[in-house]
């Protein structure tokens, strides 16, 4: 079947022939659906075909014949019973062939109507492509400019909320792998950033913990912990540090309340941990005590 791409402004004669062909195609599809039981099917063996309509009719004849015999009544022969069903099945193939031939003829008419206007259609596509290219280039320029502004603004945000400890966001995201294509920056309607955003921007360090200053803790929103129930912290037996009963992280909390963003089950009131360098002791001898050192 001759297909014409969407988007062309076809001349009226071509549109008329196209509509005629498409109407025939829809009529054929509708006829196939309404008479699907007349479509021949191959058997599992693949050696012959069967028509569901005729098989169902023959089975129905058998059931009705038995009921008639039980009641002591005469019943029409299988040949007479099957006659209307066989007529419908035989007409199905003829109707299908006729519609397919009409579609083929309409296809030829459509090709004949389209050929003289191919130059006009080529000009249409060329103009549309040129205009779209200009729009695309301008959109990319604006996107890159916005990306640059966003990168700088997020870097300044990281610097401010960490008191200068972090000068730039991590390279995670910014269109590579993030679900929204905006990198690690994810905010809520009430002007806070999400826990996922903190991790993506590098505001949570595996070694140092949360880098944000305590006064900015309210800027973090954890959707899995909206109520932020306070959890008491129990001091460890061997030192003055405290241990989170949910995640087990030990911190030198002092009189502050502590929270954990690493577990969905955590119910804490704050999102800031002190540096691990401030722990009172009990470090493993193989752990570096200075940030930046390696094993």
């Amino acid at each position: 079947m001759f297909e014409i791409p969407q988007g062309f402004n076809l001349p009226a004669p071509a549109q008329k022939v196209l509509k005629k062909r498409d109407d025939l195609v829809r009529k054929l599809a509708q006829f196939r659906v309404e008479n699907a039981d007349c479509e021949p099917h191959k058997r599992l063996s693949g050696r012959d075909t069967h028509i569901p309509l005729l098989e169902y009719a023959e089975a129905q004849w058998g059931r009705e014949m038995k009921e008639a015999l039980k009641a002591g009544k005469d019943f029409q022969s299988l040949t007479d019973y099957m006659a209307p069903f066989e007529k419908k099945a035989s007409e199905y193939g003829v109707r299908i062939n006729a519609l397919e031939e009409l579609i083929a003829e309409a296809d030829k008419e459509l090709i004949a109507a389209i050929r003289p206007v191919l130059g006009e259609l080529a000009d249409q596509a060329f103009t549309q492509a040129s205009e779209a290219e200009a729009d695309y280039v301008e959109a990319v320029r604006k996107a890159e400019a916005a990306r640059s502004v966003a990168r700088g603004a997020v870097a300044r945000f990281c610097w401010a909320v960490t008191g200068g400890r972090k000068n730039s966001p991590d390279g995670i995201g910014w269109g590579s792998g993030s679900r929204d294509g905006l990198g690690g920056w994810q905010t809520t309607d009430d002007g806070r950033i999400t826990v996922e955003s903190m991790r993506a921007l590098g505001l949570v360090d595996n070694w140092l913990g949360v880098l944000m200053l305590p006064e900015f803790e309210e800027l973090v929103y954890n959707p899995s912990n909206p109520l932020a129930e306070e959890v008491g912290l129990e001091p460890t037996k061997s030192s003055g540090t405290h241990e989170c009963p949910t995640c087990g992280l030990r911190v030198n909390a002092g009189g502050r309340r502590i929270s954990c963003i690493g577990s969905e089950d955590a119910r804490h009131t704050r999102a800031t941990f002190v540096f691990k360098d401030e722990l009172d002791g009990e470090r493993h001898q193989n752990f570096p005590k200075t940030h930046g050192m390696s094993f």
Side-chain angles (χ1 to χ4, degrees), residues 42-79:
K42 283 190 176 182
R43 297 188 184 277
L44 294 178
S45 61
R47 296 179 180 178
D48 57 354
T49 60
H50 69 99
I51 298 177
L53 175 67
L54 299 182
E55 289 191 339
Y56 299 153
E58 185 172 349
Q60 181 65 25
W61 173 83
R63 290 189 291 269
E64 294 180 5
M65 179 193 63
K66 289 181 181 179
E67 294 297 326
L69 292 176
K70 287 181 181 179
K73 300 179 181 179
D74 292 333
F75 194 71
Q76 63 185 138
S77 66
L78 177 61
T79 301

Side-chain angles (χ1 to χ4, degrees), residues 147 151 169-186 196-197 199-202:
R147 181 190 294 256
R151 185 184 295 274
D170 287 356
I172 302 174
W174 300 105
S176 58
S178 59
R179 63 174 178 267
D180 55 8
L182 298 177
W185 187 254
Q186 299 177 22
E196 292 76 10
S197 185
R199 293 194 181 100
L201 296 174

Side-chain angles (χ1 to χ4, degrees), residues 94-154:
V94 176
R95 182 77 172 269
I96 292 293
N97 292 335
L99 286 171
E100 289 177 344
E101 290 176 0
L102 290 174
I103 292 174
E105 293 176 3
D107 257 350
K108 293 179 180 179
E109 294 181 25
L110 182 59
I111 293 173
I114 289 295
R115 189 175 296 278
V117 297
L118 286 178
E120 177 185 343
L121 300 183
D123 290 341
Q124 286 183 26
F126 184 89
T127 301
Q128 293 169 353
S130 299
E131 293 174 352
E133 181 188 21
D135 294 341
Y136 175 77
V137 171
E138 179 63 15
V140 170
R141 185 192 65 78
K142 291 182 179 180
E144 292 297 331
R147 181 190 294 256
S148 177
V149 172
R151 185 184 295 274
V154 173

Side-chain angles (χ1 to χ4, degrees), residues 15-47:
Q15 290 184 18
K16 182 178 180 181
V17 178
L18 177 62
K19 183 179 183 304
K20 173 184 175 182
R21 196 279 309 272
D22 289 346
D23 288 344
L24 289 170
V25 171
R26 283 191 291 270
K27 185 178 296 186
L28 174 60
Q30 182 179 359
F31 182 76
R32 285 185 182 276
V33 170
E34 294 175 351
N35 299 274
D37 56 353
C38 295
E39 181 73 24
H41 295 277
K42 283 190 176 182
R43 297 188 184 277
L44 294 178
S45 61
R47 296 179 180 178

Side-chain angles (χ1 to χ4, degrees), residues 157 161-162 165 192-199 202-205 208-225 227-231 233 244 247 249 251 253 256-263 266-275:
F157 174 84
V161 298
T162 62
R165 290 197 297 268
R192 293 186 288 176
I193 64 172
T194 64
V195 172
E196 292 76 10
S197 185
M198 286 188 65
R199 293 194 181 100
L203 296 176
V204 182
D205 188 280
L208 299 178
V210 177
L211 303 182
M212 291 179 68
L213 297 176
E215 55 264 35
F216 297 110
E217 293 167 353
E218 300 301 327
L219 288 176
V220 181
Y221 171 69
N222 187 347
S224 64
N225 182 18
L227 299 180
E229 298 174 346
E230 185 170 359
V231 172
L233 299 175
C244 171
C247 69
L249 182 61
V251 294
R256 292 187 300 166
R257 293 176 298 176
I258 306 299
S259 71
C260 171
I261 64 171
S263 170
R267 291 292 183 268
H268 300 240
T269 55
R270 293 201 174 195
T272 300
F273 290 103
V274 296
F275 288 136

